Amino acid sequence: MLNVVVIGLGTISEMHVSAYEQNPNVHLYGVCDVNEERAERVADEYSVKHVFTDAGDVFNDANVQAVSICTWNKTHAQLAIQALEAGLNVLVEKPLAMSVEEAEQIQEAERTSKAMLQVGYVRRFSSNAQVLKQFIDRGDLGEVYYAKASYIRRVGNPGGWFADRELSGGGPLIDLGVHLIDLCWYMMDRPAVQSVAGHSYHRLGNRSNIKNLSFYKAADYESAKNSVEDLANGLVTFKNGASMQFDVSYSLHAKEDEVHIKLYGTKGGAELEPELIIVTESENTILNIQPQMDHPNFHFQSAFQNQIDGFVSAVLNEEVSPAPVEDGIELLKIIEKIYE
Amino acid sequence: MLNVVVIGLGTISEMHVSAYEQNPNVHLYGVCDVNEERAERVADEYSVKHVFTDAGDVFNDANVQAVSICTWNKTHAQLAIQALEAGLNVLVEKPLAMSVEEAEQIQEAERTSKAMLQVGYVRRFSSNAQVLKQFIDRGDLGEVYYAKASYIRRVGNPGGWFADRELSGGGPLIDLGVHLIDLCWYMMDRPAVQSVAGHSYHRLGNRSNIKNLSFYKAADYESAKNSVEDLANGLVTFKNGASMQFDVSYSLHAKEDEVHIKLYGTKGGAELEPELIIVTESENTILNIQPQMDHPNFHFQSAFQNQIDGFVSAVLNEEVSPAPVEDGIELLKIIEKIYE
Amino acid sequence: MLNVVVIGLGTISEMHVSAYEQNPNVHLYGVCDVNEERAERVADEYSVKHVFTDAGDVFNDANVQAVSICTWNKTHAQLAIQALEAGLNVLVEKPLAMSVEEAEQIQEAERTSKAMLQVGYVRRFSSNAQVLKQFIDRGDLGEVYYAKASYIRRVGNPGGWFADRELSGGGPLIDLGVHLIDLCWYMMDRPAVQSVAGHSYHRLGNRSNIKNLSFYKAADYESAKNSVEDLANGLVTFKNGASMQFDVSYSLHAKEDEVHIKLYGTKGGAELEPELIIVTESENTILNIQPQMDHPNFHFQSAFQNQIDGFVSAVLNEEVSPAPVEDGIELLKIIEKIYE
Amino acid sequence: MLNVVVIGLGTISEMHVSAYEQNPNVHLYGVCDVNEERAERVADEYSVKHVFTDAGDVFNDANVQAVSICTWNKTHAQLAIQALEAGLNVLVEKPLAMSVEEAEQIQEAERTSKAMLQVGYVRRFSSNAQVLKQFIDRGDLGEVYYAKASYIRRVGNPGGWFADRELSGGGPLIDLGVHLIDLCWYMMDRPAVQSVAGHSYHRLGNRSNIKNLSFYKAADYESAKNSVEDLANGLVTFKNGASMQFDVSYSLHAKEDEVHIKLYGTKGGAELEPELIIVTESENTILNIQPQMDHPNFHFQSAFQNQIDGFVSAVLNEEVSPAPVEDGIELLKIIEKIYE
Amino acid sequence: MLNVVVIGLGTISEMHVSAYEQNPNVHLYGVCDVNEERAERVADEYSVKHVFTDAGDVFNDANVQAVSICTWNKTHAQLAIQALEAGLNVLVEKPLAMSVEEAEQIQEAERTSKAMLQVGYVRRFSSNAQVLKQFIDRGDLGEVYYAKASYIRRVGNPGGWFADRELSGGGPLIDLGVHLIDLCWYMMDRPAVQSVAGHSYHRLGNRSNIKNLSFYKAADYESAKNSVEDLANGLVTFKNGASMQFDVSYSLHAKEDEVHIKLYGTKGGAELEPELIIVTESENTILNIQPQMDHPNFHFQSAFQNQIDGFVSAVLNEEVSPAPVEDGIELLKIIEKIYE
Amino acid sequence: MLNVVVIGLGTISEMHVSAYEQNPNVHLYGVCDVNEERAERVADEYSVKHVFTDAGDVFNDANVQAVSICTWNKTHAQLAIQALEAGLNVLVEKPLAMSVEEAEQIQEAERTSKAMLQVGYVRRFSSNAQVLKQFIDRGDLGEVYYAKASYIRRVGNPGGWFADRELSGGGPLIDLGVHLIDLCWYMMDRPAVQSVAGHSYHRLGNRSNIKNLSFYKAADYESAKNSVEDLANGLVTFKNGASMQFDVSYSLHAKEDEVHIKLYGTKGGAELEPELIIVTESENTILNIQPQMDHPNFHFQSAFQNQIDGFVSAVLNEEVSPAPVEDGIELLKIIEKIYE
C-alpha cells in the first residue's frame, strides 16, 4: 500500500483524490490545503484521516510515501523539490514549473533523491492516446515527420490564478498548449528540438463581456483581472527534420471551439482528436481505420485513473515514470521560446 | 473592344478562353500553342480566327492588345517580359515566376512598359472572397492578426510538368500554397514580411501506386516522374506582428482531402473555406454570420469570369490591376524561404 | 430585502419559489395554498417560515411586500386587486385575468395603489428574446410589419383546471397563445390593435384515448373532463398597418409538435423559436446571423430567474415594470375577439 | 386526335408544348406568338407546321379544336372568350383573369359555347396532390376544418410582366398564392367563402440589389421596374366554419425560401409540401404515413403532363373539367378581397 | 391483492421486484435467494418483510400465491414444478427450461395444478410489439409468411452463469434468440413447426481480450470461463409454408451491434426493431407508417411493467396466460434442433 | 487483337459493347440479334462492321474468336455449346444455364473445346469486391465461416422475359440471388455444398398496380404476365461447417429497397454492400476499416470494364478464367434446391 497525500485542493485535485480512492494499492493518507475549511470538507467527503494546512508538515510525516501537487503553477517547483528531498514520490500537475531553470532544479533534486517524479501529462493516459501509441510503436505510421494541433476556445479564459501570469506562468499556451505539444512530441518519439518560431498575442483580453455563453471559471474568477495571452501559435522544428504546428487560445473570434491533433508519418497518419482515427495504406489502398472504443476522444475520468494507476505502479515497482521529469523540461524549453 | 490572345492551351487555358468569350468588351483574337494541332482544335471550337504556334508572332502582331499566359511556370517570366516590352497587357497564370529574381525582372519590364500585368490570383475573385473583403475593408474584423490555411490532398500530385521541378518551380507549395498565402495576405491588407519559418518534405512521393481513388492528372502524366515536394508548411511573421500558418500537400496520410482558410482579427474573424462564415461580436453577443450565396465556397467558373472581367476592365479603364506584379513578388519571397 | 409570499402552489409555483431563492435581494417570507398539506410540504423543502392557507392573511401581514399569484386563472383578478389594495407588489401568472373587464379593474386598483403589478410574460425574459429585443431596439430589423407564430401540440391538453373553461378562461389560446401573441406584439413595439379575425375550434376533444405518447398532465387530470377549445387561430391587424398570424393547439392531427415565432421588418427579420436567428442585409448581401448562446431557444429555468429578478429590481428601484398591467389588458382584448 | 395550338410562347409555354407532344391523342397543330421569330424558333424545335402571330387567326382556323393560353394575365379573359366563342376548348394558365368581373364574363362565354375551359391549376395534378385527394375522398381525414400554407421567397420577384401590376394583376398573391389557396380549397372540398381578412405589403421592393443569389428572372427583367406587392397574407373563413391561413412573398427578410401546405381534419391531417405525409389515428395510436413516391413533393414536369392529359381527356370524352371555370372565379374572389 | 415472492435475486430480478411494487393489486410478500446477504439487502431496499433462503420454504408458506422464478436456467424446471405442485402461480424467466423434456414436465405439472404458469417473454409486452400485434390481429399485414431477425453483439458474452452451458443451457441462442424467435412466431400467429435448419458456432470465444469497449457483465464474470456458442443461425420452416430466418451472437466480427426484426405478410410488412414501422399498400400506393410513440423500440422498463401487470391480471381474473407454457415448449423445440 | 461478337442486344449488351470498345486489345468485329433493326442500330452507333441476325453465322465466321452471349437465359446453354464447339471463347451472362443438367453439358463442351468459357459474375469484378478479396486472400479475415446477404426490391419485377419462367428459369433468385450467392461463396473460397434449405414464394405477384414509384422495366414489359417467384430465401450449409443465409425479392412489403452482403471469419469480418468495410482486431482493439475508394459499393460501369478486361486477358494469355464454368454449375446446384 502506498500512503499518499494530495496537496492543493482546487478543482483538479478532485480527479486525483477520487482516482487514488479507486486504486486498490493506495491508502489516501491525507489532504492538504492552506484553506483549512476546504481541506476539512474534502477530508470529510472522502473519509480521509489526516488534514494538513502546511505542505511542510506533509513532507515531515514519515508515513507519507507520495504526494500529488495540485497547487498554482508558481509553487510547483518549490514543493516538488522539498518533497523529493524528503524522499517522497511526486506526481506534479502540468506544467512541471514556471521556467526551464526551475524545472532543471527539480531534475537535480530528483537525481539525488531516492524517490521519483512524474509530470501530470494526463492526456498521454487517455485510452485514445494509448491505443494510438501502440500502433505507432509497432511501426504502423512509420516515422512521424509532421504534426499539427489546435485547442481553440472562443471565450474560455478561466480567470483567477489561471489568468495571473505571476501565478500561472502564462495563459492558454501553458495551460492547454502544454498538453498538445507533449502529446505530439510523445507520439513523434520525443525528438530533440532544433528551433522554435511562434507568437503569443494579447489582443482580445478575456472577453468577460460576452453574455449567454457559459464556460469554466476558476473559483476566484474576477472579470477585470487578466495578464495572460489570449492566443499563441508556433512552428517547432526538430533535429530529425520533423516539424510541428500548433495554436491555442482562450479568446479568439473563431466559429466554434475546437480541439484537433493530427500526426503524419511515412507509412500512415492519425487524428487523435476530436476522435481517434488511423490512416494507413495496404494493398495499394488507403485505409481509414476507426478503433472501436467507448471513448474515441479524450475522456477526463478514465484518463486520470490511468495516470494515477501508472504513477502508483511505477512507484511500487520502481519502474521508470511514464512521464518523467525530462519530458517536463523539454516542453518548457519550447514554451519559453514562444513567450520570448 | 480588347483584342486578346491566349498563349499556352493546357487545361487551365479553357477557363481563360471561355471567360473571354463571355466578356462583351473582348474580341478573342487568337490562340497560341507550340502544339499546332491543339491550337487548331481550340480555335475551331471557339471560332477563333488567328492561330499562332510561336508566341513571338503574337507579340509582333499589332492588332493584339492583351495576352493571357497559361504556359508552364518556367516560361512565365520570359513571355511576360516580351509581351510587356511589346506593349501588351498581360494576365499571367500564378505563380508569377520561378524566382524572386525573375519576378523582379518582370516588374522592371512593366515599369518601362505602357502596358500592365496582372497575376492570376483567381481565388481573390471568387464571390466568397469578394464578400469577405468588403466586410474586412469596412472594418468588421478590425485588424487581422492571425491567419491559418490548409490545402490538403491525400493523393493529388497531377504529375506531368506540375511534378517536374524544372518546369514548375515546385510542387503543392507553388501550385496550391500560392493561392492560400495570397488570399490570407490580401485579406490581412498585404503586410510586409518579417520572417518565414517552414519546411518542404519529400517523404511519400506521388503515391501513384494508389488504386481506386481518382484525381486530376495532367495530360502528360507519368507515374514514375516526380521531383517536387509532397508537403510544405510554414509560419510567416509580418512586421506588424501578425502571423500566418499554413500547410499544403500533394501526398499525405491524412483522413480526407481538406481546404480551409481562417482569419482572426481584433473585432471579428472569418472562415473563407470550406464555406464563408463571418464571426463578430455585438451587444456582448457572439454572432456567427452566414452570407447567403449560391456559392459560399470557391467556385471555379464564376471566379474565373470575375478575374477576366477585372483584368479587362483595368486595362480598358487604365486602372490599377486588382492583382499587381508587386503581389506576385511578395508571395515568391515567402515561397523561396520555405524552399531554402 | 424584499419579503415575498408565493400564493397557489401548483406546478408553476416551483419556478417562482426557486427563483426567489436564488435572488440575493429577496427573503422568501411565506407560501400560501388552500391545501395546507401541500403548503407545509413546500415550506419544508425550502425552509420557509410562514405557511398561509388563506390569501387574505397574506395581504394582512404587514411584513409582506410582494406576492406571486400562481392560482387558477379564475382567481387572478380578485387576488391581484386585494393585494394591490393592501399595498403589495404583485407578479401575477399569465393570463392577467379572465376578461378585459376584470383586467381593467386590476388596472384601476394599481392606479390607486402605491404598489405595482407585473404580468407573468416569462418568455419576454428568455435570453433569446432579450438578445433579439436589443437588436430590434437599435434598429437592425427596421419596422416590424409582419409576424407569425405557432404553438402546436398534437396531444397536449393538460386537463384538470387547464381544461375547465370556468377556471382557466380558455384552452391553448389563453394558455399558450398569450405567450406567442405577447412576444410578437412586444417585439413589434406594442402597436395598437385595429381588428382581429380568428377562430377557436372544438373538434377533437382532448384525445385522451391516445396511447404510448406521454405529455404534461395537471395533477387533477381527468380524461373525461374538458370544456376548452382544441385549436385557435387568428389574424391581428394593427393600426400602423402591421399584421400578425398565429395558431395554437392542444389537439391537432399535425405531423409533430412545433413552436415557431417569426418576425419580418423593413430592414431585417428574425426567428425567435425554435432557435434564435436574425436575418439582415448588408453590402447587398443577405446575412443569416446565429447568436452564439447556451440556449438559443426558450429556456424555462433561466427565463424564470430573469423574470423574477426583473420584478424584484423594478419593485426595489421603483422602476416601470418590464411587463406592466397595460400589456396584459391589450392581450386580453385580442383573445376575447377570437373567442367571440 | 385533338388539334391544339399554344398561344403565348414565354417560359411556361414550354411545359405545354412538350406535354402535348407526349400525349398520343394530340396533334400539336400550331404555335402562336406576337414575336414571330420566337414563334418560328419553337415551331422549328418541335417540328410544328403552323406558325401564328395573331391569335385571331388561330380562332378562325377551322382545324383547331383546342388552345392553351399562356400569355400575360391581362389578356387571359379576352383570348379565352374569343376562343370559347369560336368553339375552341381552352386551357388557360392561372390566374383565370385579372378580376372577378372578367372571370364571370369568361364563365358566361363558356356557358354559351359548345366548348369547355380549364384553369391551369397544375399543382392539383401533381402526384402528391392526387394521392392525398384519394385519401381525403375516401374519408381518411374526415372533414378538413383548417388549412395553412406558405410560399416564401426571400428574393424572387421575376420582374418583367410579372412585376407590372397592369399586365399581371398582382404579385406573389396572384402568381404563387393562387396555387396555395386553390390546393387547400380543393382539398377542403371547395367550401363557400364567408369572409376574408388579409393584407398586401409593398415594403421591400424587388431587392434587385442583392448579389450572389440567383433566382428565376423573366426574359424582360428590368431591375428598376416593379409595381407589385412583395408580401401578402390572409385568413379565409368558410361558411362551414373551416378556415385557412396563408402567406406568400417575392421579397421577405426570411431565413430561407420555403413552401409548405398543411391540412387538418377531424379524423386526420396532412402535409402536401414540402413532402406528402398523412397523419391519422388508429387503435388509439397516432400514425404518420409516408406514401412511397418518386416525387413526394410538387414535380413540375410530371404534374404538367398530368394536367395536359386531364384536359385532353376531358375534351375528348366530353367530361367535366378537373379544374373548371367556377374554381377560377372563386379564387379570384378571395384574392380581390386581399388586394382591396 | 396477490401475495408474491421473487426467487433468485440476480440482475433481472430487479425488474420483477420494482414492477410488482408498481402494481396496485400486488403485495410483495417476500424475496428469496440462496445468498442471504443479498436477499436481506433487497428486502431492505424495498421494505419487504419476508426473507427466504430456501425456495422450498416459499412453496410451503400458505400466504404465498405467486412467484417469479429468476434463477439460473438450470433450476427453472424443478422450481416451477414444485411451485405449481404447491398451487402457486408462476412467472418463470425465459427460457422456460433447459430442454423440451423438462418443459413438458412443467406442462404436465401445470395441467394438474390449480395454478398457472407464464413464460417471461417480456418483449411481447413492449409497447411496439403490442401496437404491431393489434394491427396484425385486425389483418393489416394479411398472412405473415416470412420473418427475419438478428440480435448481433460484437463483444457481449456476459460471462458468469450465462457462459456456462451447464447452468444456462446455451449462449446467445437461448439468451437472445429465444426472444427473437418467440416474437416472430407470436406475430406469425404461432404456426406449427415443420423443420429447422441451423448452426451454432464456437469460433471466437468470449473475446475477453478486447479493451476499451464496455458491455454488460454478470456479477460472477470470469474471463477464462466460457462453454457456450458465440453465434447461432437458423431457418425455420412452418407447416403453413411460412419461414423464418435468424442469427444471434455474443461474439462476431461485425461492424456494429445490431437488433432487427422484420415481418412480411401478404398485405403488409413491418419492422419491430430497431424502430416500429408498418408498411402497407392502399390506393395502389405503398405506405410507410410510423406509429408515434415515446418508445418505438423495445423499452425494458415499461415492457416489464406490462408483463408483470399481464401476469397479475391473468392470475386474479383466472384468464389464459398471455405467454402460456405451450409457447415455451414450442420455442425449445426449435432451439434444440439448432443445438443438435 | 481479339475479334469479338456480342450476341443478343438487350439492355445488358450495352455494357458488353461499350467495355469491349474501351479495351485496347479487342476489335469489336460484329453484333448479332434476331431483330435486324436493333442490330443495325447498335452497329451504327458503335461503327461496327458486321451485323448478324443468326448466331449460327457468327459461329461459322472464321474471323471471330470470342463471343459475349447476352440472350435470354433459356438459350444460354445451346449458344454456349455451339460457340465452344466452333472453338470460340465465350463470356456468357449469368446465370450460366437454366439447370444443372444444361450447365454440365456446357462444361463437357468446354472440356473438349480449345476455347474457354467465363460466367458473367460481374460483381466479382467490382472494385469493392476485388479489394476485399485481396484482404481475404492474405488472411485478414481468417476462415470465413458465415455469410449473409439480401437483395430486396419492394416493387422491382422487370417483367418481360425476366418474368417468364420458361425463358428466364426463375425470378429474383436466378436474377439477383445468383450474384449474392456467388459473391459470398467466392469470398468463402468456394467451399463444397453439403445441404440447402430454402423457399420460394409467389404471394404478391409483380405489384404492377403500384403507382408513383419507378423501377427498371424490360423492353417487353406487360403488367399481366408473370410466372416467377416474388421472394426466395435460403440457408446453405457447406461441408467445412460454414453456412450462408440469404433472401432476394422482386416484390415484398419491405420498408425500403436494400442490398447488403456480410461476411464473418475467424479473424475478421466485412460488409461488401452497401459499402465496403472491413472489421478486424489488433492490439486487443476492434478496428473498423474503410478503404478509401471512388466507389465503395458495386459500380456497374467499372465492374463491367474489369470483367471484360479479365475475360480478354484470360483468353489472350490462355489463363484460367476468373469465373470458370465450374462456378456456374455450383451455383445452379444451390438454386435448383431452393426451387424444388
Side-chain angles (χ1 to χ4, degrees), chain C residues 3 17 26 55 57 64 117 125 144-145 162 166 180 182-183 204 213 216-217 246 263 272 278 288 294 300 308 322 332:
Chain C
N3 283 335
V17 169
V26 165
D57 297 342
V64 182
L117 176 145
F125 297 89
V144 178
Y145 60 93
F162 286 93
E166 292 307 307
L180 295 191
D182 176 63
L183 267 179
L204 306 185
L213 265 185
Y216 169 70
K217 289 175 182 165
F246 67 89
L263 298 148
L272 191 53
I278 298 169
N288 280 12
D294 291 338
F300 218 83
I308 294 290
L332 283 168

Side-chain angles (χ1 to χ4, degrees), chain D residues 131 134-135 138 282-283 285-293, chain E residues 131 134-135 138 282-283 285-293:
Chain D
V131 168
Q134 281 182 299
F135 283 87
R138 70 182 206 188
S282 184
E283 304 286 345
T285 302
I286 296 177
L287 304 179
N288 280 13
I289 302 175
Q290 285 189 290
Q292 304 294 295
M293 308 174 71
Chain E
V131 167
Q134 281 182 297
F135 284 87
R138 71 180 204 188
S282 185
E283 305 286 344
T285 302
I286 295 177
L287 304 179
N288 280 12
I289 303 174
Q290 284 189 290
Q292 302 294 295
M293 309 176 69

